[in-house]
Amino acid sequence: MSRPFRPRAAALTACALLLPALLAGCAEGDPAQDLTRQKPAWKACPAPDEAQGGGASPSPLPGARGRWECATLKAPLDWDDPDGDTIDLALIRVRSSGPESERIGSLIFNFGGPGGSGVTTLPAFGQEYATLRTRYDLVSFDPRGVGRSAPVTCEDDQELDEHFQQDGTPDDSAERTELLDSTKDFNAACEDNSGRILPHVRTTDAARDLDLMRQVLGDDRLYYFGISYGTELGGVYAHLFPDTVGRAVFDAVVDPARNPEQASLGQARGFQRALDNYAEDCVSQVEECPVGDSAQDVRDRIATLLRDLDRRPIPGLFPRRLTETMATSGIAQALYSKDFWAFLTDGLEQAYDGDGTILMALADSMNGRGENGEYSNLVPANVAINCADAEPRYTPADVERLLPQFRKASALFGDFMAWGMITCTDWAVPGAADHPDVSAPGAAPILVIGNTGDPATPYEGARSMARALGEGVGVELTYNGQGHGAYHSEDRCVRNAVHGYLLDGKVPEAGTVCP
């Protein structure tokens, strides 16, 4: 859902293991115990605010009880101090469409990022979950630091425009200094504007929020659908609370065994693989591919375009100009879904003629910029959660040392991904761990779906997650497809497996391949 910063690393602390006692065994009147007894005041949803991306209030779904309802949930600012200050977490739901006697509970969605607003994303895809809605209330939320949930704010809109046009692949010492200074300025602005929340946006914090949410919604177990980063959040939850895992699906799976360097390298390979698949698809069409005569020609022409943009940006969305970095972001955004490949072709063809409008629009989508020039807090939240989770801090010398490996992984995306590793170098909050612990012995089965053509969370991560969850917990399913995730491909085999498990408790055979 977000620009390709390095994917996720998370942390567990000893205090996390105390949460079940804090919530289940507190003395009468303890504030932490009181939080589990909240009664959310559900009411009609307001229009999304700027941090959520703006837009109109969500339209009702067809049929009875199709109105979207919003509420807030109070959670401790600091889970190590549950008696202290609280923050409000924004929730959204639509009630089950089926008979109350067949209702299972609430199915909670996290759509990834990290930094994506679940309050705005769930209604956008709501109709796709009509079958799941027959037995579940559909619920999502803005995780802490995101959207309306104590959002992280950093630079203003004008500063963000300049930040995203900064050269992300420096070629000399002057450009490297400019990139480092831009990163420091962004990180300092985050500390100045959001210092109170920055230490408390780790994935372990969000997992504890998720368990509080489960209890407030009245479910004995967590029913969960995690996508992209949402799979890591779900894995950390399963580690902390294995006994309360209900039916859960992980789609577009983050590899929990990789540290940030390994994850960035894997993502470079993933986006290169997706670009190769796009190029092969384009030249295989009956009509002539307008951006190259062969797959290699497509790749070569894109590389030439990016080199030219590095020297001389072209007009984009006025008054901004399309830079090499913006074009790379736009190309990456188009690789998230095969449905976007036609836009990529149009954008490349247009850029070859000196017009960067389409590629810049795609980059704006990646960066959370609306047509009105206002940014959501997608990227600030993404950086804050990544940097709070990931312990390693990389220097320019580290990047220079690793560049040959990244360029071997991807001639197009390698430099971009490698230099992205300095994002957290000057972050105000120390990172918590090298990678997340998702081991969950004793948990109920979790369906783990990997897509062979996924650019952002490469397919290999699904097998790694299934293995890390533990024997009898992670159940791997492979989808031979393109784009980020599998469920939204509408593949019948994938949908049948997901519906069979979430609705009827039928666990598919491990190793199932679709189609």
Side-chain angles (χ1 to χ4, degrees), residues 128-319:
E128 291 202 35
Y129 303 121
T131 300
L132 296 174
R133 188 181 159 225
T134 60
R135 301 197 66 191
Y136 290 98
D137 296 347
L138 307 183
V139 178
S140 194
F141 63 108
D142 289 353
R144 54 176 58 217
V146 176
R148 275 199 169 104
S149 299
V152 174
T153 58
C154 298
E155 296 180 320
D156 63 28
D157 293 332
Q158 182 178 349
E159 291 168 329
L160 285 172
D161 274 346
E162 295 173 0
H163 179 77
F164 289 123
Q165 289 189 284
Q166 173 67 51
D167 190 342
T169 57
D171 301 312
D172 54 40
S173 60
E175 289 184 353
R176 186 171 74 174
T177 297
E178 289 177 3
L179 177 61
L180 293 173
D181 288 346
S182 175
T183 302
K184 287 179 181 178
D185 290 345
F186 178 90
N187 292 355
C190 297
E191 183 179 9
D192 289 344
N193 294 318
S194 302
R196 177 173 179 263
I197 189 67
L198 293 185
H200 307 296
V201 294
R202 295 189 172 104
T203 298
T204 47
D205 297 312
R208 299 172 205 179
D209 294 339
L210 198 56
D211 198 60
L212 175 62
M213 197 179 308
R214 170 192 68 79
Q215 295 178 74
V216 169
L217 292 170
D219 290 333
D220 292 334
R221 292 181 174 271
L222 178 73
Y223 303 102
Y224 182 75
F225 199 135
I227 301 168
S228 193
Y229 162 75
T231 66
E232 181 175 315
L233 173 59
V236 170
Y237 178 92
H239 174 77
L240 293 176
F241 307 103
D243 293 340
T244 56
V245 173
R247 300 172 189 172
V249 171
F250 294 176
D251 188 8
V253 184
V254 171
D255 188 338
R258 292 183 173 183
N259 63 28
E261 173 191 326
Q262 295 164 335
S264 294
L265 196 59
Q267 200 173 44
R269 293 191 189 98
F271 275 97
Q272 185 64 50
R273 182 188 300 159
L275 181 70
D276 293 344
N277 291 339
Y278 158 76
E280 294 285 355
D281 181 79
C282 186
V283 299
S284 70
Q285 302 300 319
V286 175
E287 297 181 8
E288 181 181 344
C289 176
V291 293
D293 296 329
S294 66
Q296 187 59 50
D297 189 38
V298 172
R299 291 189 289 267
D300 290 344
R301 292 191 68 191
I302 292 174
T304 299
L305 171 68
L306 294 178
R307 283 195 298 269
D308 290 344
L309 291 173
D310 190 30
R311 294 190 298 267
R312 187 172 53 256
I314 61 177
L317 292 167
F318 184 81

